[in-house]
Amino acid sequence: MNSGSANETKVFKDWESWLGQHAPGLLLYARQQTQCEADAQDILQESVIEIWERQQSNELPAPALVYATIRRRAIDLARSRQRRAVREATANAEVPAAWFDLSLEDRERSQLIQESLRMLPEIYQEVVTLKIWGGLTFAEISTTLEIPANTAASRYRYGIEALRKTTQKELA
Amino acid sequence: MNDSELEKFEAELRNLKPAALPGPLLQSLVDSRPKLENQPARSPRLNPGAVKTFGLSHWLRWLIPATAVVVGGMIAWVSLRSSAPNTLKPATAPPSERLVADDISVERQLVSTYDAIAELPTGEPVRFNCREWMDEVNVRDSSKGLVIQKRIPRVEITPVRFETY
């Protein structure tokens, strides 16, 4: 094996590792930002390809950049949909995909948190998602959502508290 | 909620793993990584569609400035051509200085008249009455004091039968 193919193999393994680490969180965020599963998967794939194209190097993309691209593409998609009522009716008819791994023992709790998270206002939902499952810092969240870092922190705190209240209320 | 409760709840949330990607989507993302072989670091290849887009954008990057230069050159050339006659021919009368005729007259003056006799191939005599006219056309522009005069000679020949004569 020459050095080129060895390097290629390394990049391949790094890329698979990167996907294993970040792709589930990215898909979770894409699902929250879109109205149906197909849109979420399309936007995730398009965003990753766009980042590769823009990056012009073989370095692995920064997750914050991919999250920001997903958000921008989701906004563009929502704007491009002219018949909003039809889209929402279609989305409501569709069974939503599971946001979390349901193979865990506490399946009911996973579903409860998903529903609680879904009921949160979007501005809190996205900050909590980016922080907890995206692993972004408040500075990165600030860049991704184009809001001040202090706003991101306060939204996170409020979102976590609201989420906890909702889950405790349901479990009580 | 105090800080410890917050941290505990955060830890609980972090234990909740996002759902794994569907197999086809994961495979598609794995395949979307750039290839290293035959490709420098600055231009990653993703798939044939991406390569096509890169090629097109590469050409457009050169085509657009080149088109701008050509169009700019044509505009400059046309403007130079249109401005050159004005500088080279200042004596050319502008439209407001054209001749405006306020009187046009055509006069006919009989210069001479005479008769002529000829014979047809059959021997029959033929008589002609010939008249020489001078037609004169006068065009006047009183505001500028201009008179244009044109004189044209004209011959009028009329056959006359002997019986009529």
Side-chain angles (χ1 to χ4, degrees):
Chain A
M1 183 182 290
N2 57 29
S3 61
S5 60
N7 195 13
E8 169 73 8
T9 305
K10 181 179 182 303
V11 170
F12 182 81
K13 289 185 182 300
D14 287 348
W15 176 231
E16 281 194 323
S17 173
W18 188 96
L19 284 175
Q21 185 180 355
H22 299 290
L26 292 168
L27 181 59
L28 169 63
Y29 185 62
R31 281 170 171 160
Q32 291 174 353
Q33 294 290 310
T34 55
Q35 297 290 331
C36 66
E37 178 66 13
D39 286 347
Q41 293 190 14
D42 287 348
I43 281 181
L44 172 57
Q45 188 169 2
E46 290 165 5
S47 300
V48 169
I49 290 175
E50 180 185 325
I51 293 298
W52 274 126
E53 287 179 333
R54 283 166 49 191
Q55 195 159 277
Q56 297 193 345
S57 75
N58 286 326
E59 292 178 8
L60 295 170
L65 200 56
V66 185
Y67 279 107
T69 308
I70 288 172
R71 181 171 183 268
R72 178 175 52 77
R73 281 184 171 269
I75 291 172
D76 290 346
L77 179 67
R79 285 177 180 159
S80 69
R81 297 285 174 85
Q82 294 181 352
R83 287 183 288 180
R84 185 183 180 88
V86 174
R87 182 197 67 189
E88 288 180 349
T90 306
N92 291 335
E94 183 182 349
V95 176
W99 287 1
F100 299 102
D101 186 1
L102 298 180
S103 62
L104 299 174
E105 293 178 359
D106 203 351
R107 173 182 293 226
E108 287 183 5
R109 187 158 182 80
S110 300
Q111 289 176 332
L112 173 61
I113 289 178
Q114 173 173 335
E115 287 309 310
S116 302
L117 194 59
R118 195 191 294 274
M119 285 189 296
L120 269 185
E122 190 179 346
I123 57 172
Y124 306 119
Q125 183 190 95
E126 59 186 358
V127 172
V128 169
T129 301
L130 292 174
K131 181 70 177 163
I132 296 288
W133 295 285
L136 302 188
T137 63
F138 285 125
E140 290 172 327
I141 293 172
S142 163
T143 305
T144 301
L145 301 182
E146 297 173 335
I147 56 174
N150 287 338
T151 304
S154 62
R155 284 183 185 179
Y156 173 74
R157 177 90 184 190
Y158 183 91
I160 287 288
E161 287 181 358
L163 197 59
R164 186 166 178 267
K165 281 180 186 172
T166 308
T167 51
Q168 283 184 337
K169 185 178 176 183
E170 290 293 327
L171 290 173
Chain B
M1 192 190 329
N2 57 38
D3 287 344
S4 64
E5 288 176 335
L6 177 66
E7 288 174 5
K8 188 179 175 185
F9 186 61
E10 281 178 328
E12 187 180 347
L13 290 178
R14 283 199 180 89
N15 286 333
L16 208 59
K17 300 298 178 191
L21 271 63
L25 176 62
L26 180 61
Q27 188 58 48
S28 173
L29 289 174
V30 168
D31 294 341
S32 72
R33 75 189 169 85
K35 306 286 186 201
L36 279 183
E37 60 271 12
N38 304 326
Q39 189 65 28
R42 282 189 55 78
S43 52
R45 284 189 175 180
L46 302 175
N47 51 46
V51 173
K52 190 174 179 181
T53 306
F54 170 77
L56 183 62
S57 64
H58 177 74
W59 281 108
L60 284 176
R61 195 178 302 157
W62 288 101
L63 183 63
I64 291 170
T67 306
V69 169
V70 170
V71 171
M74 288 182 67
I75 291 172
W77 182 67
V78 168
S79 63
L80 279 176
R81 280 197 64 185
S82 61
S83 63
N86 292 336
T87 57
L88 295 176
K89 297 180 180 177
T92 303
S96 60
E97 295 179 10
R98 286 177 182 171
L99 178 69
V100 179
D102 55 359
D103 184 17
I104 299 175
S105 63
V106 179
E107 295 177 2
R108 293 193 303 175
Q109 182 182 0
L110 184 59
V111 177
S112 65
T113 177
Y114 54 89
D115 289 346
I117 296 174
E119 273 188 9
L120 293 175
T122 58
E124 184 182 358
V126 179
R127 190 181 185 96
F128 296 97
N129 179 245
C130 300
R131 293 178 181 178
E132 291 182 352
W133 296 91
M134 182 58 75
D135 292 344
E136 185 176 300
V137 180
N138 295 307
V139 179
R140 290 186 182 85
D141 184 354
S142 302
S143 62
K144 296 183 175 62
L146 291 174
V147 178
I148 297 175
Q149 194 175 65
K150 180 78 173 178
R151 297 168 66 90
I152 305 167
R154 178 166 57 88
V155 177
E156 186 179 73
I157 299 174
T158 307
V160 181
R161 294 174 62 181
F162 278 101
E163 293 81 2
T164 307
Y165 186 79

